[in-house]
C-alpha cells in the first residue's frame, strides 16, 4: 500500500502533467516495487517557487521536485528500491524538464505493525490473507 507524495515547485503545473506524474508513479509502484495499483495513492503537492529551496535558494531555470514513498518494511529488496528511485527520477526529468542538481526520491520503510489502511495494520492484512 504505497503512499507516494511528490512535491513540485510549480503551482500552475497543468492538469495533464499532474496526471502523467500520477500515472507514471503508480505504474512504477507496480512494475518496480510489485505493489497493487488499486492500493497506491499519489498526492501531488504544488508549491510556489519561493517556498522550495535548493542550497538556500529557489531553483532558477528548472522545476524543483522531490518524491517520497511510504512502503511496508521488508517487502522490497535493494535492487527493486534502486530501480524505483532511478525510474522515478527519470519520470520527473521527462515530465517536468530541467531539475535542480539534487532532485530526490526517498523510500520510507514502515514497520507493518505501525502502518496500514482501512483501519487495519499491514501486519493484520497479511495475517488475514494467509
Amino acid at each position: 500500500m504505497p503512499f507516494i507524495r511528490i512535491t513540485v515547485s510549480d503551482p500552475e503545473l497543468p492538469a495533464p502533467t499532474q496526471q502523467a506524474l500520477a500515472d507514471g508513479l503508480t505504474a512504477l509502484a507496480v512494475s518496480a516495487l510489485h505493489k497493487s495499483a488499486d492500493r497506491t495513492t499519489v498526492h501531488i503537492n504544488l508549491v510556489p517557487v519561493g517556498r522550495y529551496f535548493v542550497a538556500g535558494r529557489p531553483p532558477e531555470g528548472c522545476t524543483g521536485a522531490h518524491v517520497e514513498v511510504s512502503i511496508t518494511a521488508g517487502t522490497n529488496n535493494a535492487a527493486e528500491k534502486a530501480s524505483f528511485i532511478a525510474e522515478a527520477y527519470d519520470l520527473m526529468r521527462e515530465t517536468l524538464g530541467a531539475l535542480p542538481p539534487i532532485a530526490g526520491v526517498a523510500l520510507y520503510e514502515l514497520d507493518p505493525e505501525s502502518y496500514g489502511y482501512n483501519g487495519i495494520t499491514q501486519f493484520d492484512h497479511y495475517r488475514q490473507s494467509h
Side-chain angles (χ1 to χ4, degrees):
M1 185 213 101
F3 182 87
I4 303 170
R5 178 181 298 113
I6 179 168
T7 301
V8 179
S9 68
D10 182 355
E12 305 299 322
L13 193 67
T17 304
Q18 293 180 51
Q19 188 66 58
L21 288 168
D23 291 343
L25 289 167
T26 299
L28 283 176
V30 172
S31 66
L33 300 175
H34 313 291
K35 305 301 183 190
S36 165
D38 292 339
R39 293 189 316 206
T40 299
T41 300
V42 176
H43 173 237
I44 299 175
N45 183 30
L46 303 177
V47 299
V49 172
R51 290 184 58 202
Y52 193 101
F53 299 87
V54 175
R57 297 189 177 111
E60 293 183 19
C62 60
T63 301
H66 183 80
V67 172
E68 299 172 279
V69 184
S70 297
I71 58 175
T72 305
T75 59
N76 294 100
N77 63 41
E80 291 166 338
K81 292 182 279 188
S83 176
F84 181 90
I85 289 169
E87 292 180 55
Y89 177 80
D90 289 345
L91 173 69
M92 286 191 297
R93 192 181 62 233
E94 291 164 8
T95 307
L96 299 172
L99 298 172
I102 57 164
V105 179
L107 293 169
Y108 300 114
E109 293 189 279
L110 304 172
D111 186 287
E113 293 179 352
S114 303
Y115 182 58
Y117 62 96
N118 295 345
I120 301 171
T121 68
Q122 288 291 80
F123 179 76
D124 287 335
H125 278 288
Y126 178 77
R127 281 191 337 176
Q128 292 172 7
S129 69
H130 288 88

